[in-house]
Amino acid sequence: MINVKNLKKSFEKNRVLKGVSISVDEGKVLSIIGSSGTGKSTFIKCIIGLLKPDSGEIIVDDKDITQISDDYELMELRKNFGYLFQEGALFDSMSVGENVAFGLKYLTKVPKSEYKKIVAEKLALVGLVGIENMRPSELSGGMKKRVSLARVLAPSPKYILYDEPTSGLDPIRADSIGYLILDLKKKLNVTSIVITHDMSLAYKVSDKIAMLCGGNLVLHGTPKEFKTTKNAMVRQFVDGKREGPIKLVPTGIKTEGDDNI
Amino acid sequence: MFAYIGRNVEFALEQAGRVSEMIRSAFFWLIKSKLESQQTFLQGVRIGVASLGVTVLTSLFTGMVLALQSGTTAQSLFNEPVYVGVIVGFSLVRELGPVLTAFVVTGRAGAAITAEIGTMKVTEQVDALYTLGTDPIKYLVIPRYIACMVMLPLLTVFANFFGIFGGYLVSVKGLGVSSYTYISDVRTFLNVEDFMHGFLKSFLFAFVIATVCCYNGLHTKGGAEGVGKATTASVVTSMILILVVDYFASSILVSLGI
Ligand SMILES: Nc1ncnc2c1ncn2[C@@H]1O[C@H](COP(=O)(O)OP(=O)(O)OP(=O)(O)O)[C@@H](O)[C@H]1O
Ligand SMILES: [Mg+2]
């Protein structure tokens, strides 16, 4: 399980996360929603160790990973995680096949002779066939995203952090990605955190949903609670209304009573 | 005014701290894990091949112009172009060979190192390396260090050879020095220490180039514009540092009798 307590993170003067506590149980799916720029990506980057939080605890399998300073031990822990980048982050010096196989070499003990089979299998999972020899620059935006997802799935991680898995995909593909996430949970007991703006995906796949706003947690509850809550901010966001307590201001996003939610 | 200096000193110290952290980390992964042999080989080929042509041309013409200048000066002083081979040989092997080759490698390979790593950084490919179980220092930086430190001394050997050859062409064909005199000048006055002097310095230069260019790449910020800035910074910083290191290394080596 992943248990994050009172996580704080600033970029210079910009206080992005102001003390967020969220947890996911083993084999469950948590979705994180919230306006653009509230620190959702920052939050999961802290979990996987791409960013160092200023304070707070991140407990994974009973270990507080913020307390580990040995590069090697951190690397070993990271091997349990898969991370889908918002922009894909495919290696553009390699072919699609090499991209998908990359993690197999470093994260697993799978023999090299099996790579080809696994790569084809994972690409098929995301609806792609026979594109192993293409270059990332030759793919469409949605295809890149799916190749990137195949690369995450290839080493069969125990935890998967998805940063907007369905953005840039058509509704049918998006739906099938939703099923894929559920399938991984059912068959392989994968624990997932899914960042998304797609409420129908969030309702479909989540055991719990967390909403962030202005660097604070607004609500952490089941999809049912999200559907029925009277919390004005959640209602505005989930129902997609321009009017409400969350104000869009030209420079970014400000919330009334920002610090005392 | 003092605040300004203070801020800059602080920034420089912070920078130095991060550079030494990168070097520490490079040693850590070098000892702790297997070398990325495929990447190292690829980088070696790239750096060596990319720079070979320019290195040869640069050193050839440097040797030629050295012979021309020293020959005509000697001619006007002594009525005879004496010691052209000695002057060309000495200046090339001890100074110009290593320094000019380092400049060429900075421009050809160093800039490419920063641009490539910098682009990977701003498109999160460096972060992706992390999440896929390898360390960017181990995967990107160490191969480039090794490639630079093997290839630069090798290229310097080529530079020395072609520079002396260029000097030969001008002396023998242009100034009328006998081919025997030129070659025996080079052979009797240049000794092993001179070659060691140049060789050791080219190792240091390679270290400087790899450090500066990898560091700037890994700390690139702000899209395409950032990559451009980082690349320029790499080339300028490397060149200045090469000259500074050259002076201090030379003075230490000379005092050791090398
Ligand atoms: N590396 C960084 N350096 C400085 N500021 C950053 C950095 N990464 C993120 N930020 C800032 O942190 C804030 C949150 O960014 P983040 O990417 O976490 O938002 P997000 O919730 O994922 O938004 P979106 O839904 O648009 O992806 C933004 O204001 C952004 O400017
Ligand atoms: Mg984001």
Side-chain angles (χ1 to χ4, degrees):
Chain A
M1 85 175 250
I2 302 174
N3 191 358
V4 180
K5 291 182 191 159
N6 206 18
L7 193 73
K8 291 185 184 161
K9 173 73 188 173
S10 318
F11 295 104
E12 275 144 30
K13 289 209 178 70
N14 183 6
R15 288 171 59 213
V16 176
L17 298 172
K18 299 171 184 164
V20 176
S21 305
I22 297 179
S23 67
V24 214
D25 291 329
E26 206 70 45
K28 301 285 179 198
V29 178
L30 168 84
S31 293
I32 301 181
I33 59 172
S35 331
S36 195
T38 52
K40 302 182 298 295
S41 299
T42 305
F43 181 77
I44 60 169
K45 278 184 184 165
C46 286
I47 294 179
I48 200 176
L50 287 173
L51 291 171
K52 250 194 148 38
D54 302 333
S55 66
E57 293 171 27
I58 300 167
I59 297 159
V60 179
D61 293 341
D62 303 323
K63 253 191 222 145
D64 184 355
I65 59 170
T66 58
Q67 298 301 320
I68 302 170
S69 55
D70 181 24
D71 290 354
Y72 203 76
E73 201 181 337
L74 268 177
M75 179 80 86
E76 289 302 311
L77 261 167
R78 221 168 7 233
K79 290 188 174 175
N80 297 322
F81 281 88
Y83 186 103
L84 177 68
F85 284 87
Q86 192 167 357
E87 313 287 346
L90 292 176
F91 301 122
D92 45 27
S93 61
M94 301 175 198
S95 68
V96 166
E98 287 166 330
N99 263 286
V100 178
F102 195 90
L104 292 174
K105 181 171 167 198
Y106 295 98
L107 298 168
T108 66
K109 296 199 166 55
V110 176
K112 248 203 167 106
S113 52
E114 307 261 303
Y115 285 10
K116 223 174 148 183
K117 197 184 99 224
I118 297 177
V119 167
E121 198 179 291
K122 301 296 170 178
L123 282 172
L125 267 185
V126 294
L128 294 167
V129 176
I131 61 160
E132 279 89 338
N133 293 323
M134 285 172 88
R135 295 262 144 192
S137 57
E138 298 169 318
L139 304 177
S140 77
M143 284 165 89
K144 276 186 202 159
K145 192 97 200 200
R146 287 184 283 148
V147 170
S148 192
L149 181 54
R151 185 174 74 176
V152 172
L153 300 179
S156 311
K158 188 173 157 203
Y159 299 104
I160 304 183
L161 313 177
Y162 302 87
D163 200 340
E164 303 193 9
T166 59
S167 71
L169 299 186
D170 62 73
I172 304 170
R173 289 269 181 239
D175 190 54
S176 71
I177 298 292
Y179 274 100
L180 184 62
I181 294 172
L182 284 176
D183 225 34
L184 289 166
K185 169 182 144 176
K186 251 182 266 157
K187 290 194 185 133
L188 302 170
N189 201 32
V190 171
T191 310
S192 313
I193 299 182
V194 183
I195 293 180
T196 186
H197 292 298
D198 178 350
M199 284 315 298
S200 72
L201 178 79
Y203 285 142
K204 185 162 45 195
V205 300
S206 316
D207 296 292
K208 288 271 180 65
I209 302 177
M211 178 170 162
L212 292 180
C213 189
N216 293 295
L217 185 64
V218 180
L219 183 66
H220 186 3
T222 59
K224 205 168 159 203
E225 287 174 75
F226 267 78
K227 281 178 183 155
T228 55
T229 179
K230 299 243 159 25
N231 183 317
M233 282 163 85
V234 176
R235 284 268 63 84
Q236 182 197 354
F237 188 84
V238 169
D239 301 338
K241 294 281 185 313
R242 195 167 63 92
E243 304 289 332
I246 307 171
K247 300 276 183 252
L248 299 178
V249 293
T251 49
I253 288 154
K254 277 258 156 63
T255 315
E256 280 168 15
D258 214 355
D259 282 345
N260 46 31
I261 295 167
Chain B
M1 173 70 191
F2 282 114
Y4 176 76
I5 295 175
R7 254 204 319 278
N8 273 304
V9 169
E10 196 183 325
F11 180 70
L13 286 179
E14 200 185 302
Q15 195 96 315
R18 275 185 288 179
V19 170
S20 49
E21 167 60 24
M22 184 184 86
I23 297 171
R24 184 201 65 79
S25 179
F27 272 110
F28 175 85
W29 288 113
L30 193 62
I31 296 165
K32 196 107 180 190
S33 70
K34 231 172 70 210
L35 183 68
E36 293 286 341
S37 44
Q38 200 188 347
Q39 284 295 311
T40 309
F41 180 75
L42 197 82
Q43 288 303 322
V45 170
R46 242 191 240 173
I47 292 171
V49 173
S51 315
L52 185 60
V54 195
T55 302
V56 167
L57 274 181
T58 315
S59 54
L60 188 71
F61 278 97
T62 307
M64 283 162 68
V65 81
L66 275 176
L68 184 73
Q69 297 281 21
S70 61
T72 45
T73 310
Q75 178 90 43
S76 67
L77 286 177
F78 309 115
N79 261 330
E80 208 185 327
V82 285
Y83 295 134
V84 180
V86 184
I87 293 174
V88 172
F90 256 115
S91 7
L92 270 170
V93 169
R94 291 183 73 95
E95 276 305 321
L96 294 172
V99 171
L100 288 178
T101 312
F103 278 9
V104 168
V105 169
T106 302
R108 287 293 319 235
I113 288 175
T114 304
E116 191 181 356
I117 298 183
T119 306
M120 291 182 71
K121 172 75 187 176
V122 299
T123 54
E124 295 188 309
Q125 293 175 52
V126 172
D127 289 343
L129 285 174
Y130 256 119
T131 64
L132 290 167
T134 180
D135 191 286
I137 301 281
K138 169 171 164 304
Y139 190 83
L140 297 173
V141 174
I142 292 177
R144 283 165 176 79
Y145 260 106
I146 294 176
C148 280
M149 292 177 80
V150 171
M151 283 304 165
L152 186 55
L154 272 182
L155 286 167
T156 305
V157 172
F158 274 94
N160 291 340
F161 178 79
F162 280 96
I164 291 171
F165 176 68
Y168 173 90
L169 285 182
V170 170
S171 314
V172 176
K173 308 282 177 211
L175 300 168
V177 180
S178 84
S179 127
Y180 173 78
T181 318
Y182 183 87
I183 292 171
S184 76
D185 270 1
V186 172
R187 287 184 50 175
T188 41
F189 286 94
L190 275 187
N191 47 33
V192 181
E193 279 82 29
D194 297 317
F195 281 99
M196 276 309 284
H197 184 97
F199 205 64
L200 287 175
K201 288 200 297 191
S202 75
F203 264 116
L204 284 178
F205 298 159
F207 188 80
V208 168
I209 296 171
T211 306
V212 170
C213 297
C214 289
Y215 175 83
N216 277 326
L218 285 176
H219 289 84
T220 303
K221 274 192 197 131
E225 194 194 350
V227 175
K229 274 191 192 149
T231 308
T232 312
S234 274
V235 173
V236 174
T237 314
S238 298
M239 286 189 172
I240 294 172
L241 275 182
I242 284 166
L243 292 176
V244 173
V245 167
D246 185 38
Y247 175 78
F248 287 105
S250 300
S251 56
I252 291 170
L253 289 173
V254 166
S255 74
L256 293 174
I258 299 173

